[in-house]
Amino acid sequence: MSVTLVSLWTSLRRRFEAVGADNPVTDARMLIEAGAGVSRLDIVTDPYRELSTEQLAAVEALVIRRERREPIAYILGRKAFWNIELAVGPEVLIPRPETELLVETALDLLPSNAPARVLDLGVGSGAILLSVLAERQSAVGVGIDKSASALETAAANAAALHLDGRVSFREGDWTADGRFDLVLSNPPYIRSGDLAALAPELHYEPRMALDGGEDGLDAYRAITCALPGLLGPNGAFALEVGEGQADAVAEMAEVVGLTLMPHRRDLQGIARVLAGRGAG
Ligand code: GLN
């Protein structure tokens, strides 16, 4: 029996439901598009179009990966975030929707069009830093990461977005040389002991980008210690935090003399971004 776009969509949706993937309808559609080289419009307007053997084989190769719970972003090699699209691979954390709150906070902290130096500690794919630079034409950025392969991906993303003239990337460990107007970070914050129980998809992601140590707060200890030396006059910072971590991180920031703003909550009501300024 011939396989049509709509019959394939239905059967893939069922296969993804059976393995407990959380977006079976969208995942099925995206893998048909990527594997068979058809558009979303083709699927909707021409649902009874038949697929060739070659198209079916190409889709199946992607489907098998998703059934093993590889994240859809790694299979497609890209992820939309804020107003940009990023290339992503297993060397970088996949940008999360809640991290857009960090970008929103960063843009509020940067007066539009004034020149500014922005630092992103643990830059990964470049999602945060490149989103901010794309919206603030007079800003320049530095991205730091411990992973050389992550830095290569971030640099490729910067070039693809024509932002490479305003950003540089260096290897480092929660600190940098120089002073900045804005320091941003979404560090690893999951407790080491919680990692094993996470959704299978997270095991494809770099452990270095998720593992926050025994209490999940290791990176915040390093970052809050470094912040006073990184902030220029009237410099600001914004950090993403995990659920239930805002108070502990706020205390670390206060101990080193930083001034805090009220934390910001994500769409689920979780205190997600902690922002503030240097001593002055
Ligand atoms: N928000 C990610 C998650 O819970 C964790 C990212 C991080 O550790 N910074 O899946």
Side-chain angles (χ1 to χ4, degrees):
M1 209 187 85
S2 67
V3 177
T4 64
L5 289 171
V6 67
S7 71
L8 183 60
W9 193 0
T10 305
S11 70
L12 295 187
R13 191 197 74 209
R14 294 209 181 102
R15 283 171 66 181
F16 292 152
E17 279 167 1
V19 297
D22 54 6
N23 293 305
V25 178
T26 315
D27 288 1
R29 177 177 57 72
M30 292 178 98
L31 294 186
I32 293 170
E33 288 169 15
V38 298
S39 70
R40 182 179 191 157
L41 198 66
D42 293 328
I43 301 176
V44 177
T45 58
D46 194 12
Y48 300 107
R49 186 189 299 180
E50 291 179 15
L51 288 106
S52 69
T53 320
E54 292 75 24
Q55 283 176 311
L56 284 171
V59 174
E60 184 62 20
L62 304 180
V63 167
I64 288 169
R65 292 169 64 184
R66 185 70 193 108
E67 280 187 316
R68 293 189 192 124
R69 304 294 293 272
E70 182 172 345
I72 192 93
Y74 290 155
I75 300 172
L76 300 173
R78 60 186 157 79
K79 175 76 184 173
F81 177 81
W82 194 253
N83 288 333
I84 60 178
E85 189 167 271
L86 299 138
V88 292
E91 69 287 354
V92 293
L93 189 80
I94 299 164
R96 308 285 202 266
E98 62 268 25
T99 302
E100 294 185 337
L101 187 63
L102 183 57
V103 174
E104 212 176 294
T105 307
L107 295 174
D108 289 345
L109 288 167
L110 273 191
S112 36
N113 288 331
R117 279 170 53 80
V118 185
L119 173 68
D120 184 344
L121 295 171
V123 69
S125 65
I128 300 161
L129 184 60
L130 297 175
S131 296
V132 171
L133 294 183
E135 303 243 8
R136 293 289 182 266
Q137 267 80 38
S138 306
V140 297
V142 176
I144 303 284
D145 209 286
K146 218 191 305 190
S147 156
S149 51
L151 292 172
E152 279 175 33
T153 299
N157 280 323
L161 293 161
H162 307 294
L163 294 169
D164 44 329
R166 289 195 281 130
V167 66
S168 61
F169 297 102
R170 309 223 174 100
E171 248 176 275
D173 204 2
W174 308 128
T175 191
D177 295 323
R179 299 264 176 179
F180 297 86
D181 301 296
L182 181 60
V183 179
L184 303 170
S185 186
N186 170 24
Y189 53 62
I190 297 173
R191 283 187 292 268
S192 306
D194 291 343
L195 284 168
L198 296 175
E201 279 81 356
L202 275 88
H203 297 286
Y204 284 85
E205 298 191 276
R207 189 184 168 114
M208 197 199 284
L210 293 168
D211 188 347
E214 197 178 335
D215 65 356
L217 300 171
D218 281 359
Y220 299 106
R221 287 188 192 90
I223 292 169
T224 50
C225 279
L227 272 174
L230 290 170
L231 294 172
N234 205 32
F237 66 92
L239 309 174
E240 178 169 326
V241 296
E243 186 168 6
Q245 295 175 330
D247 290 344
V249 179
E251 202 180 309
M252 292 178 199
E254 276 167 349
V255 166
V256 297
L258 300 165
T259 310
L260 289 166
M261 302 168 191
H263 56 235
R264 297 203 185 190
R265 294 182 182 276
D266 66 16
L267 295 172
Q268 292 167 283
I270 298 167
R272 182 62 72 187
V273 173
L274 204 70
R277 292 196 184 272

